[in-house]
Amino acid sequence: FTYDTLATRLREQAFLNKGVKIHLQDERTDKSTDFEYAGGIASFVEHLNKNKSALHPKPIYFEEVKKDAGPEERCEVALQWNDSYGEQIYSFTNTINNRDGGTHLEGFKAALTRTINAYAQNSGLSKQLKETTLSGDDVREGLTAVVSVRIHDPKFSSQTKDRLVSSEIKGWVQQVINEKLGNFFEENPSVPKKIIEKGLEAARAREAARKAKELVRKGPMDAAGLPGKL
């Protein structure tokens, strides 16, 4: 057994099951660690962002519970933007890490782009862009997020459960994000303002890179203004 591998997985489990205490002890070396996080996946996002400068002090967190005839189903989302240029998104189904994402991640990404664009347009913040929308890559720049669903009878693409393929989950996650993130933005306008400003910077950089590429592709003959046909 490798202590660090077990510690990583058990820390993940403690984040996904808030309030549960997990004690890991290595009797070969007397090394031990306790994992317990009252904040659940919001604490997970803080842990992932600990060496980065966050754009807003606390992660945005919400959950929705569905109680139909069967056992309850739960959708939890935690997200926080930082000043980096990459994105870090983890998706889980019934505490299993889906490394290739799946329908819950697709729903999250689609709803996130839509909600941020809708807020940018309604608040007038998108006027700085000639195009009216920010792309998915623009809004996810610097994002750290965890999407966790607990559902009965999940369907996966393979035995390793790397990708969730339950089609109904996409619409559910979209609905949760659209509603709850939209409400959060309305109640905390300073947060979406910072997120959209960062997205606008990413969009401008993307546009500048596209124009630079076009100039390179045109080559010296095009640049001299020669006619296309002789």
Side-chain angles (χ1 to χ4, degrees):
F1 292 102
T2 307
Y3 186 88
D4 291 342
T5 304
L6 287 169
T8 301
R9 179 63 180 140
L10 293 175
R11 182 185 290 110
E12 205 173 71
Q13 285 295 308
F15 282 130
L16 293 163
N17 298 280
K18 61 181 167 189
V20 170
K21 183 177 181 179
I22 300 173
H23 175 71
L24 171 63
Q25 183 164 350
D26 189 341
E27 293 181 349
R28 300 167 300 186
T29 60
D30 284 338
K31 189 177 180 182
S32 67
T33 317
D34 286 328
F35 303 106
E36 185 179 14
Y37 303 100
I41 62 168
S43 299
F44 195 175
V45 168
E46 284 180 325
H47 171 74
L48 293 167
N49 271 345
K50 67 183 176 187
N51 296 321
K52 295 166 186 160
S53 300
L55 292 190
H56 45 104
K58 285 188 175 178
I60 303 163
Y61 170 81
F62 36 81
E63 70 175 327
E64 183 166 286
V65 179
K66 260 201 299 194
K67 289 183 181 175
D68 296 331
E72 73 171 33
E73 296 189 309
R74 187 181 297 267
C75 171
E76 284 184 278
V77 179
L79 55 162
Q80 186 180 38
W81 277 262
N82 57 62
D83 61 358
S84 74
Y85 299 104
E87 64 177 83
Q88 221 179 349
I89 307 174
Y90 292 89
S91 51
F92 297 86
T93 305
N94 299 352
T95 75
I96 298 160
N97 189 347
N98 309 123
R99 286 175 177 80
D100 295 334
T103 49
H104 48 352
L105 186 58
E106 288 165 17
F108 169 77
K109 286 182 174 180
L112 184 73
T113 307
R114 183 183 171 280
T115 304
I116 290 175
N117 269 307
Y119 186 88
Q121 285 175 4
N122 294 339
S123 61
L125 290 167
S126 64
K127 283 177 185 170
Q128 300 171 52
L129 268 185
K130 286 175 185 171
E131 314 101 300
T132 51
T133 58
L134 295 162
S135 76
D137 288 340
D138 296 335
V139 300
R140 292 194 305 274
E141 189 173 283
L143 171 66
T144 300
V146 177
V147 182
S148 174
V149 295
R150 290 170 190 261
I151 53 176
H152 45 86
D153 193 28
K155 293 174 181 64
F156 300 101
S157 61
S158 64
Q159 280 188 318
T160 52
K161 301 180 180 178
D162 286 339
R163 183 175 181 82
L164 179 70
V165 294
S166 303
S167 57
E168 69 282 0
I169 301 304
K170 181 177 179 179
W172 183 33
V173 174
Q174 273 183 305
Q175 172 242 312
V176 171
I177 299 288
N178 286 336
E179 181 187 324
K180 297 195 183 278
L181 187 61
N183 290 344
F184 177 87
F185 282 174
E186 294 296 335
E187 291 163 14
N188 304 273
S190 64
V191 176
K193 188 172 185 287
K194 288 176 185 170
I195 294 164
I196 290 160
E197 279 169 1
K198 184 168 176 62
L200 289 168
E201 275 178 30
R204 286 192 206 101
R206 175 169 54 84
E207 187 60 20
R210 185 184 66 78
K211 284 178 179 168
K213 241 183 208 173
E214 278 180 7
L215 280 173
V216 170
R217 279 182 185 155
K218 277 182 177 175
M221 294 298 279
D222 288 348
L226 291 169
K229 291 180 182 177
L230 294 174

